[in-house]
Amino acid sequence: MPAPHPALQRLADDYAAWWIDLLGEHNHVGGLETTRWLLQRAGLAPGKTMLDAGAFVGAAARLAAAETGCRAIAADLNPDFLAAGRQLPGGRAVHWVAADSRRLPFRDASIDSIWALDTEVAYHEFNRIAAPGATLCLCCEAPSDARGGLDAFIADWEQAGWQLAAHRPLSAEAAHTWRTAEAELVRRRPYFEERYGTRTYLRQLDLVAYLVQAYERGEQGHALFVFRRA
């Protein structure tokens, strides 16, 4: 595995979080491969505007700008994440905005593709800023039961004027991601315990262990969704 970019390594050192250390810049289930899956279906091109909401270091925004020529915006509340993203490859092609996904500083109907990758899905704000024909690209927790939970999730978006364009279950991939992270935290305990401090290390290990159990028991699910605005 190649060494992380110095800007990402500095961020990992400052924040000492398992999801930075173990997931890297594409810090969502499936990583770069699922980012590309969404990008192939997002309808982006030069002249289109894409928002990476809750962007962390804007990996999706940087990839979209580089591969489609779109106007890419990365928004996150944490200015340290944005500063690191600017220094990563492709960072100069992205517009960086410090903003809460629940109160976005964009005009109504002004964004052509809205992305939320394992971050808060701000239902009302996303509906407000979406342009006619916009796409909504999600990598998120999703109901995994057989009692209509997934149908209800999709129906909520359809009632707001979106149509499902693509869907890919990711529950098995999510369970594998959390299981691998748990194993790595345990295998390298001395390193991570020194890096995080004992109490923080144990809290993070407990969180990852909870995710492993929730996904393996089918209590939680994960999926990719692409919706298109009518």
Side-chain angles (χ1 to χ4, degrees), residues 51-55 75-77 99-104 115-116 119-126:
L51 171 65
D52 186 359
D76 199 287
L77 263 178
D100 186 336
S101 292
R102 295 168 295 183
R103 298 187 66 180
L104 291 164
W115 291 51
T119 187
E120 180 177 7
V121 178
Y123 181 86
H124 295 291
E125 277 294 84
F126 291 176

Side-chain angles (χ1 to χ4, degrees), residues 17 25 34 45 47 61 66 68 91 96-97 105 118 167 169 171 194 200-201 222:
E25 59 177 301
T34 55
T68 72
W96 302 90
V97 177
D118 282 343
H167 167 233
S171 296
E194 180 179 1
T200 301
Y201 166 78
H222 220 89

Side-chain angles (χ1 to χ4, degrees), residues 14 102 127 189:
D14 289 342
R102 295 168 295 183
N127 280 314
R189 175 168 182 161

